[in-house]
Amino acid sequence: MNDPGSTVPAATRRLGPDASGLAEAAALLRAGGLVAFPTETVYGLGADATDADAVTRIFAAKDRPRFNPLISHLPEAEAAFAEGDFDAHARRLAEAFWPGPLTLVVPAHPKTQISDLARAGLPSVALRVPAHPLAQALLAGVGRPVAAPSANRSGRVSPTRADHVLSDLAGRIGAVLDGGDTQVGVESTVVACLGGTPRLLRPGGITRAALRDVLGLEPAVPESADADRPAGPGMLASHYAPRARVRLNAAQIEPDEAVLLFGSARPAGHERARAALNLSPSGDLAQAAARLFGALRDLDASGADTIAVVPIPAEGLGEAIGDRLARAAAPR
């Protein structure tokens, strides 16, 4: 098993998406190791959520602040219900969207197995049942909740393929289970059901409109964020950031900037960009979300100091895209 605190690099194995790869990945997790695995959103960096020592290795591998809570993943809803107290709103959302790209923050059950460290010492717990068949098979094989933030260095661009994981974490984790490219491409929507109106903590793969349709009400906005103690995962102001500075709502491209395009918009000076990628030439927000993190990584590799981003509509999945871009552009 790799020791992420060691100064001696260790090999990270790339495991195939077959019975042998799944068995090895599950054994590593049960033994306290770290395994990155695909979900329908992004790749997660998994550890046994019931083992505080294993969870500590996630924070070390990612250089992640320990006050930032982790999402614990379960193979099916009944297993999640044993870890938290679900009110009527939470049950309704779970029934509608699990398995799928939704994380529910609920009061921790008094007998939860999930360690205090994975919950960042909070009385709540963040739970998800992913839809990816490899993730479901792996979680069933482990037989315990698996804590799994995105499989990248803390604050950096989230990984949507195994190569992205290895570029950030090779030598820091035991293995990556290679399931190809993820489909949704942005992280799960996070909703807190802690009494009263559910709060949308983070937009993601489930849109605000879809939540509203199921709940029959508008999700509340988060309370004022506490930078030193976020209520849920993915809420740090600076997050999902490439090396290059990110400049939003660009109407003109400066020389040597890279440009992230959407639809048919072509800002002045785009022809002199160092590199250009279009999230969706047809203006499809689902396609744009799936391509977002890969495009940021590819433009970052161009060597440009700045990535200029054209305006992207805020409706539907555009809200999640805008959230990730705003965090990528935030001061570091």
Side-chain angles (χ1 to χ4, degrees), residues 83-144:
E83 304 298 335
D85 289 332
F86 286 66
D87 64 14
H89 293 307
R91 289 269 176 172
R92 196 172 299 129
L93 290 170
E95 290 167 3
F97 299 117
W98 278 354
L102 174 71
T103 294
L104 292 173
V105 178
V106 298
H109 192 279
K111 294 184 178 180
T112 183
Q113 305 174 73
I114 296 168
S115 68
D116 270 355
L117 186 58
R119 295 187 284 116
L122 296 171
S124 56
V125 62
L127 301 169
R128 181 158 101 87
V129 177
H132 196 292
L134 273 181
Q136 291 184 334
L138 176 63
L139 294 168
V142 174
R144 304 166 195 163

Side-chain angles (χ1 to χ4, degrees), residues 1-2 11-15 20-36 46-48 51 54 57 138 141-142 144 146 173-177:
M1 182 177 64
N2 293 350
T12 295
R13 296 200 59 195
R14 187 194 294 257
L15 304 177
S20 174
L22 282 165
E24 183 170 349
L28 277 168
L29 288 169
R30 287 194 299 270
L34 301 183
V35 176
D48 180 352
D51 180 347
R57 295 184 184 101
L138 176 63
V142 174
R144 304 166 195 163
V146 172
I173 66 176
V176 55
L177 184 62

